[in-house]
Amino acid sequence: MARYHRRREADQKGTWRQALVFNSLLLILAVLACRVLVNAYGLQRLDGVTDIQAREETRREIDQAFETIVPDGMPSRAYWADQIADELGARDFSAARGYLLAAPAMLSRDDRRALLAAVAAEEGGTEDERLSRAGLLFLPNDVRANYQRAIERPTVAIDQIQTGDEPPLSMETDEVPAGETAASPVPVDGGLPAGFSMIGDVADLVRRSQQWVNGEPLDTMQLRLSAIGLLKLANAETEPAYLAAISVLRAAGRAGRLDDAYADYLRGRVELALPEADALEGLRTAVSTVVPPSVRQQQVLGAYARAINAEGLERLERDLASIAHIAAETSPSGAVTLIELAQSPEDVRKLELVAQSGSDRAVALAKAIGPQLTGLAQMGIRWSTSLILQIAGLIAIFTAICWSVASAFFRLRPARQRWA
């Protein structure tokens, strides 16, 4: 009888230890699995470089989306040409070029074959440039002429970035608000314009800082973004793409085209980079004395510089880098069209991938399907030594759990037989 009790106590102790090990392994398995998912599908930017496979998969998703936007029963070529004509009429040249580049996905099979043959006959330039030239041959004469005039004429699509209570930003006839630098001509087939800027100048920064100190209503996020850009310019620490990102954010913010959730996120980032209370305290001293304008400008810049938080600025710069990549792959106005779809920084990373994969196609598709565009980003798995080791650990833990379950099952059978 004593032997039976000792054996029963040993079995109970063994069962308790086994249950503890089993539950611990389950907890570790859950934590490690989450870590693997974050490392494999995380949206952190890696110096603007995304996996080639991710870009190829995203490009396929973009082409499939273009194939589905043509209404049933409508001739695909007529619909495609109408979209380009509409975007030209709206002065959105980035979206017009996007539709032109999407011709292989939108046109019928016969037109697609003819188009690809025309592309093969083109010489010189990138694949998109050859596709643009070949696609013009399939447009009606009037639309083709309008598109070619839009390319040749020095103009900019940033005039769409406006609100009813602000003067439009057009290079042709409209005036630019005081202190702002208008965008220079944007070539439809290329890169960032060197003169694109909505940062303003130091004199304008001083004037609006004085208004802030006086308690006048002012968007302090816009003001602080401008100050950050001007500080970078004054110290010669930045590149045009960095300033273009700030300009895109300022343009989208002034036009009310930022989602509320993403605008709140940006306010938090700007607050970390340049705290409002610290900047305002420094500005009160900077604008309180009577000094020459040149000295006042240096005092105001100095007040902002002293309020900068280096760690917060570094975080903001990571967000600006993604926006700069979007603008470089499309255009400043195209970047605004894409950024207004973002509700979180993760959405911006996805839009960055879509822009890298489709260039101006992303702008055209954004206007066609809206927020669904972010769902086209196929981030892919980012393999690394750390990820492989974590997956190996998952397999080992899963094996240990299976062994624990099997061991408990076999230990339970004799116990049941004894009780029987």
Side-chain angles (χ1 to χ4, degrees), residues 201-273:
D201 55 26
V202 181
D204 178 63
L205 180 69
V206 171
R207 177 180 60 82
R208 290 186 293 138
S209 297
Q210 180 69 65
Q211 293 173 347
W212 185 19
V213 171
N214 293 341
E216 298 181 26
L218 198 68
D219 188 338
T220 60
M221 184 183 80
Q222 292 270 328
L223 179 60
R224 285 178 288 167
L225 279 174
S226 180
I228 290 172
L230 289 170
L231 283 172
K232 290 290 185 179
L233 276 176
N235 297 327
E237 296 178 354
T238 190
E239 300 177 356
Y242 183 99
L243 301 179
I246 294 178
S247 296
V248 166
L249 283 181
R250 294 203 65 219
R254 286 178 54 184
R257 294 176 63 177
L258 289 177
D259 182 86
D260 291 340
Y262 186 61
D264 290 341
Y265 167 82
L266 282 177
R267 289 190 190 94
R269 283 300 205 206
V270 173
E271 178 65 21
L272 287 175

Side-chain angles (χ1 to χ4, degrees), residues 51-201:
D51 184 74
I52 295 177
Q53 183 179 0
R55 291 201 299 268
E56 291 177 349
E57 292 178 357
T58 302
R59 175 62 180 275
R60 284 195 291 269
E61 292 291 328
I62 291 173
D63 290 340
Q64 291 175 6
F66 273 115
E67 291 174 1
T68 61
I69 66 174
V70 179
D72 295 336
M74 185 172 185
S76 58
R77 185 191 248 184
Y79 179 80
W80 169 71
D82 287 343
Q83 298 308 303
I84 295 177
D86 290 344
E87 297 302 341
L88 289 174
R91 297 171 56 82
D92 191 340
F93 306 124
S94 185
R97 181 173 184 265
Y99 276 114
L100 190 63
L101 296 177
M106 296 183 66
L107 297 181
S108 63
R109 181 178 302 178
D110 293 339
D111 285 340
R112 184 183 303 118
R113 290 174 180 171
L115 174 65
L116 295 179
V119 172
E122 290 284 339
E123 296 181 357
T126 65
E127 180 182 352
D128 281 355
E129 289 171 350
R130 295 195 303 272
L131 181 57
S132 297
R133 293 195 296 267
L136 289 174
L137 302 175
F138 292 79
L139 288 173
N141 292 335
D142 58 335
V143 179
R144 183 191 310 121
N146 289 338
Y147 187 89
Q148 290 174 329
R149 281 196 298 268
I151 294 176
E152 296 169 359
R153 183 179 58 188
T155 187
V156 66
I158 200 68
D159 60 339
Q160 293 185 57
I161 308 172
Q162 54 182 289
T163 57
D165 56 353
E166 292 181 343
L169 304 178
S170 173
M171 287 295 295
E172 296 178 356
T173 58
D174 301 313
E175 296 181 355
V176 180
E180 302 288 0
T181 302
S184 67
V186 176
V188 177
D189 283 329
L192 283 172
F196 174 78
S197 176
M198 290 190 66
I199 295 176
D201 55 26

Side-chain angles (χ1 to χ4, degrees), residues 88 137 188 200 252 266 295 325 365 380 385 409 412:
L88 289 174
L137 302 175
V188 177
L266 282 177
V295 176
H325 290 140
L365 202 54
T385 303
F409 176 76
L412 188 61

